């Protein structure tokens, strides 16, 4: 059994919070480059170039990509041969978020739902932990902005709605969202499971590297069909018109109850931030 101190988890979460908020992934920059080659709207083209410039400044000057530095969503894959020592895992993650948002001068965006009083340190974090084989711990920090999260939805379709019903709902969700989620977006789709599992799948799908194929050929085809329909809507970069409303559609799916067809759409803005480490 390998021992890992939760102190190390705190340090890594701290660093990941700061890195994720200032360093947009190469896969996102490359997806924007591909969009620049195809965008027909002069204004849309201009905005795509500005997004790249914004990302460059953020990386070089170590400042946040966006003023909304997000809810800290943390995915943990905990090897079952790891013994965490020195404290509680959740508390260690919260402390890492606390330190990362303090030391990185990142906006604290978490508040009481009724009083709207800010918790002051961007905690609590949302923690999705699962056990996996092995003696390592993989931690991914994905700060999630409020504008795009607000446009996300979970619904329970009926089995007879089928694939066509899924396509209709996802495209309609993007259409109704308009400029609110700061397009170009990445559209995460979770199909199956239960109500809460569909939402989790949609969020987790956003971690896939942009530009990579879905390993399931049926889902890969569905992603491509939905993306084509979305980019025909004409919403465009920042909602000012153009071909590039979304950079990608990512789908994760699992079996569901015979009476149900759960579906979640988690929209991610162009500030597609996540960083990971394995210890
Ligand atoms: S939706 Fe994304 S890009 Fe828009 S304000 Fe929020 S974090 Fe920033």
């Amino acid at each position: 059994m390998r021992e890992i101190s939760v102190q190390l988890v705190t340090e890594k979460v701290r660093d990941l919070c700061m890195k994720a908020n200032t360093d947009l992934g190469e896969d996102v920059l490359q997806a924007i480059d591909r969009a620049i080659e195809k965008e027909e709207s002069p204004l849309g083209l201009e905005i795509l170039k500005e997004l790249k410039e914004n990302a460059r400044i953020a990386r070089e000057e170590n400042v946040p990509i966006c003023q909304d530095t997000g809810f800290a969503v943390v995915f943990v894959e905990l090897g079952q041969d790891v013994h965490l020592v020195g404290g509680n895992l959740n508390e260690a993650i919260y402390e890492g978020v606390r330190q990362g948002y303090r030391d990185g001068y990142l906006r604290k965006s978490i508040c009481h739902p009724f009083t709207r009083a800010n918790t002051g340190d961007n905690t609590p974090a949302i923690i999705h932990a699962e056990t996996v084989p092995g003696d390592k711990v993989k931690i991914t920090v994905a700060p999630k902005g409020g504008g795009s999260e607000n446009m996300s939805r979970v619904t329970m379709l009926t089995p007879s709605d089928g694939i066509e019903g899924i396509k209709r709902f996802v495209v309609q969700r993007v259409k109704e969202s308009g400029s609110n989620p700061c397009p170009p977006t990445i559209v995460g789709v979770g199909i199956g499971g239960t109500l809460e599992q569909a939402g989790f799948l949609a969020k987790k799908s956003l971690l896939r590297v942009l530009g990579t194929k879905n390993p399931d050929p049926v889902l890969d085809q569905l992603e491509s069909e939905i993306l084509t329909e979305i980019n025909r809507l004409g919403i465009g970069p920042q909602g000012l018109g153009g071909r590039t409303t979304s950079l990608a559609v990512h789908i994760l799916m699992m079996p569901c109850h015979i009476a149900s067809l759960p579906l979640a759409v988690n929209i991610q803005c162009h500030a597609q931030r996540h960083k990971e480490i394995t210890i």
Side-chain angles (χ1 to χ4, degrees):
M1 185 72 78
R2 180 178 169 224
E3 287 197 348
I4 295 179
S5 163
V6 293
Q7 175 71 37
L8 185 60
V9 172
T10 295
E11 284 170 24
K12 297 304 179 193
V13 169
R14 170 191 176 275
D15 294 348
L16 290 170
C17 286
M18 293 195 283
K19 184 109 170 119
N21 266 297
T22 54
D23 183 16
L24 197 61
E26 276 306 318
D27 60 331
V28 186
L29 295 171
Q30 285 168 14
I32 295 174
D33 277 339
R34 290 193 292 275
I36 284 172
E37 281 168 25
K38 287 192 251 167
E39 182 56 62
E40 293 165 4
S41 148
L43 189 51
L45 199 55
E46 197 55 38
I47 289 165
L48 291 172
K49 288 178 182 167
E50 281 180 11
L51 293 180
K52 281 201 71 185
E53 176 66 358
N54 180 66
R56 183 191 66 75
I57 293 169
R59 184 184 284 179
E60 288 181 9
E61 299 188 11
N62 205 28
V63 293
I65 298 158
C66 179
Q67 44 75 33
D68 181 353
T69 51
F71 212 133
V73 181
V74 183
F75 295 83
V76 181
E77 290 180 18
L78 179 61
Q80 60 190 17
D81 297 326
V82 171
H83 179 207
L84 291 168
V85 294
N88 174 278
L89 175 62
N90 281 18
E91 279 308 322
I93 291 172
Y94 289 175
E95 183 57 23
V97 169
R98 207 170 275 129
Q99 292 182 13
Y101 276 71
R102 179 196 67 203
D103 298 348
Y105 301 99
L106 306 173
R107 193 186 79 185
K108 287 82 180 171
S109 307
I110 308 307
C111 70
H112 186 285
F114 294 166
T115 66
R116 312 307 292 180
N118 198 301
T119 63
D121 58 8
N122 221 58
T123 69
I126 303 296
I127 302 173
H128 298 294
E130 59 181 327
T131 49
V132 296
D135 64 355
K136 297 196 166 25
V137 182
K138 181 177 174 187
I139 303 169
T140 305
V141 173
K144 188 69 173 71
S148 55
E149 195 73 352
N150 286 348
M151 295 299 110
S152 304
R153 295 289 185 273
V154 181
T155 187
M156 302 299 280
L157 298 180
T158 63
S160 61
D161 287 322
I163 290 183
E164 285 310 311
I166 290 169
K167 281 167 77 172
R168 253 196 320 276
F169 186 88
V170 177
V171 174
Q172 187 63 18
R173 183 81 297 270
V174 174
K175 186 176 179 186
E176 286 172 6
S177 299
S179 64
N180 291 305
C182 300
T185 56
I186 296 98
V187 182
V189 179
I191 303 171
T194 51
L195 180 118
E196 81 283 7
Q197 184 68 10
F200 169 72
L201 290 174
K203 177 136 287 141
K204 194 175 178 189
S205 77
L206 296 171
L207 300 182
R208 198 174 101 212
V209 175
L210 279 178
T212 59
K213 280 180 139 345
N214 193 311
D216 180 330
V218 174
L219 296 184
D220 192 59
Q221 176 66 24
L222 185 55
E223 287 179 357
S224 149
E225 287 173 16
I226 294 175
L227 182 63
T228 302
E229 282 193 39
I230 286 173
N231 284 335
R232 278 195 195 125
L233 294 172
I235 296 169
Q238 293 298 307
L240 295 170
R243 292 275 175 211
T244 322
T245 300
S246 294
L247 296 170
V249 174
H250 287 181
I251 303 177
L252 276 177
M253 185 169 79
M254 69 177 292
C256 57
H257 191 282
I258 52 172
S260 313
L261 181 51
L263 171 65
V265 181
N266 195 197
I267 300 184
Q268 169 63 51
C269 59
H270 63 81
Q272 158 66 324
R273 300 160 289 192
H274 55 88
K275 293 291 176 201
E276 63 185 47
I277 193 165
T278 301
I279 51 180

